[in-house]
Structures are given as C-alpha cells and as structure tokens.
Amino acid sequence: MSASMSLSSRLTTTVAKELVVAVSGLALTGFVCMHLAGNLLILIGPEAFNAYAEKMQEFGPLLWVARAGLLAVFLAHVGTAISLARANRAARKSRYDQHNYVGRRSPATRLMLLTGLMVLMFAIFHVLDFSVFGHREGPRSIVEGMNGGASLGLWGVVYSSFGNPLRALFYIAAVSCVGLHLSHALSSVLVTLGVLFDKGTDRAELIAKAIGAAVALGFASLPAYVLVRTYLIGVAG
Amino acid sequence: MAGKTINLKIKVWRQAGPESKGEFETYDAKNISVDASFLEMLDVVNNQLERHDKEPVAFDHDCREGICGMCGAVVNGVAHGPQTATTLCQLHMRKFKDGDTITIEPWRAKGFPIVKDLVVDRSAFDRIIQAGGFVSVRTGQAPDAHAIPVPKKAADEAMDAAACIGCGACVAACPNASASLFTAAKITQLAKLPQGHPERKTRVIAMVQQMDKEGFGSCSKHYECEAACPKEIKVSNITNMNREYMKAMLSPDV
C-alpha cells in the first residue's frame, strides 16, 4: 500500500475538505438564523431593535472574539469550497459537446458556486455598509418625517436604507442567494456527514428547501416592510 | 424475415491517439435494424468504413450482455445513452427514431485519458481497488459457509454495492468527474461484511487518497452518477463512505 496514514494526509483529502465545508457551513447557517432572529426585531419597532443592538455592544471584547471566530469559519468555508471547486474543474479538462443532466439535481445545486460567490461579495458589502459606514447616530439614522427629525439609531439606518427601492431590491436578491444556497446545502451536508441515506433523501431535500425559503423570506420581509410602509401606507403610518 | 430498419447519422468523436487532437466526424448509419444493439450499429458503421479503407471507430466492449463493464460512451449527452439502468451494449436501436443524428463521445475525465476514439484508459479504477489492499482471511482449510454470521441487511447492502461493474459512467456523468460513487461502492461492499472489518479503516483512507491522486473531482451531491449508473448503485454508498472516512480520519489505530 502506497498510501500515507499520517494524520495530516488524512485531513487533506477531498472527503476531509468536504467535511470542513459541511461543518463550517452548518456553523454559518446557525449564525444566519440568529442574525435573522435579531433582524426580525426591526418589524417590532425602533425601541426593540435598538435595545438589541445596544445589548450586543455590551459584550465588549467578547464581541470581537466572536467576530474573529465567525470570520475564521467564513474563510475556512469559502477557501475550502473554492479549492474543491478548482480541483473539480481541473478533473474534466476536455468538455463534452453535449452533456445532458438526467438526474434530479435542482437549479440550486447547479448554482452553488455562483450563489456562494454572490453571498461572499454581499457579505463584504453588507459589513461595510451597515457596520463600518452605517454610524448609528449619523445622518442615515434619521428618517424623514419620523421621530421629529431626530436620530432613530441603527433602526433608522436600516429603515432609511431600505427606503431606497434599488437598495431594497439588491438586498432581496442577495438574501435569495442565501436561501438558494441553503436549499441545496442543508440536505447535501447530511450526505457529507454520513447521516442521510436513500430512504430519507426526499424528506431531507424538502426540509432543506423549506428552511432555505424561510430564511430568504424572513430577511426579505424587512425591505418589503419598509417599501410597503414608505410607498403604500405613507411614512407617518 | 426482414425487420424494421432505420437510417441514422452518427456524429462520433475521432481521436487517433492519446496525444492527438480529436474532432467529430459524421457518418451515415443506413439500414440499421431496430433490433440491433448500439454496439452492433457501430459494427455496421465500422464495416462500411473498412470497405472504404477508412479507420474503424475504436470502442471498448467485451461481454455485450451488460455485466462486464467494458463498454460505454456518452450518447446524446448521457452516459450509456437514453435508457436508464442499461449499459451501452444493452441499449437497442429501437430507442432511436429514423433520421436521428446521434452524438457519441468518450467518457471525458482527467482520470480517464483517451486512448483512441471512444476508448478510455480506466486503469485508475484498478489502482483505487489495489489501494484498498487485502482482506485478512484464515488460511488452511476452507471454513464452513455459515461459520461467520452476516445480518441479512448487511448482506443485502454489500451485495447491492458489489453490483458495480466499474464501467465509469458515474465519472462520465458527474459534473465534477468525481469517482466517488465507484470508490464508495467498493468501500461499502467490504465495510458491510465482517470479513472486511480488520482493514476497514486503512482501506477507506487509502482508497480515498488514491481517488484524489488519480485526478478525479469531489462529490458536490448532484446525484448525476446515480442516474447514469447501469447497475443502479445508490448515493447512499457515498454517505456510507463519508461515515467510514470520518471514523477512520481521527482514529488513533490507523
């Protein structure tokens, strides 16, 4: 046997790399769900959401530890997935003249790399937009005709941002990518982790699609809420 | 008795050798009996080509009864052609219509270099099996057949995995040219049985490493392999391979 059984060689095969993508992906899914739960407070009102945002700040240095951890998981997920995708591309150098897919792979499966890259670019923009340049007492926190022109904190920043239909649509497109990505990932991950066998596949795929749709709709409800309130009901509402 | 015949055009990949640049050539396939197999249709075309002093189309075949795993080509974009759970030799021309143009290509994968025309070198699969190594057995007198109890479920799963004939359709159909289904079937076949247990952990590591070394891609769960497999090998085998791998990956006794 020419194989090397050292731990380092065991941890660098494609199967091991898939495990890295799967486990980091699950952790990121956990983050996305918590992020969604927090964001839904926007629907309740400025007090609830701003109180939640302030509470997060109270963690102080721990918040930076959590951020660093999240970044590390994110980089591991993206880096490993890209390394696998490159190897997969290299595995077929000459292309078929015709290649018809006859299995049951969904568009979400086909678009994994694309939706993943879209989410990556969106995540960078999003952090810059709402954390770095979205100062919670700055001019963006003031919503015209609301609160007598006084700052509405982070809630105001979000509200005034989504008042711009282009921004709102961009955000909806981005969270749709997140949902589409999850709708494949959450059943695929069960195969990688060695738990999903033939019998449960249909149900797992259905649940994955449901979660993907729920996450996308949950996030999309925020810009939708602002747009409806701004253009249909009127600001004062 | 003259049966029904059809006239076709075939657009087939011609490549003189491993290093040559290949290209498609189109030939007429006239008066093909609908009862002929796909390979017999190619035989008829090759006879015509030989009559005109042209090089016949090289393709792999052996048993022509769907059990040896030698034949295979991508027909109209589908590995082994349009009929599910069927090797190319068992595909019959009644599946095509008069006047059709059929595109025929070899398996395309870095791990399966083209030898000539539709013939690819699948010795990578042999090396993956070799990497799995041996199975420890008691030497001396043959043991009684019932000496080692095997649960029915395990026996069935091992048998289903062992149905793999190593034709390579899974690699051909996979968008990543991954050999995961093949490798997983071979791993599962032995891991499910008590006879395969002593070397279970080293086997899965070594076979996965060899699969990577041969230049195959990884599994992104498109499940195209399962759809293309003439022996209906299930993706469950890949789940099982991953489970075996996880157990072995961090195990101190590997």
Side-chain angles (χ1 to χ4, degrees), chain B residues 66-83:
Chain B
I67 54 172
C68 76
M70 276 306 280
C71 69
V74 172
V75 175
N76 289 340
V78 181
H80 285 303
Q83 193 172 342

Side-chain angles (χ1 to χ4, degrees), chain B residues 165-176:
Chain B
I165 52 176
C167 65
C170 46
V171 172
C174 177
N176 301 341

Side-chain angles (χ1 to χ4, degrees), chain A residues 116-136:
Chain A
L117 291 173
M118 302 288 264
V119 173
L120 168 66
M121 289 193 290
F122 172 69
I124 296 169
F125 167 80
H126 189 58
V127 168
L128 292 175
D129 186 29
F130 281 128
S131 297
V132 182
F133 297 115
H135 194 268
R136 55 195 58 196

Side-chain angles (χ1 to χ4, degrees), chain A residues 160-183:
Chain A
S160 60
S161 301
F162 287 155
N164 178 346
L166 273 180
R167 245 172 187 288
L169 287 178
F170 172 71
Y171 183 85
I172 291 172
V175 297
S176 304
C177 286
V178 176
L180 215 55
H181 202 71
L182 286 181
S183 73

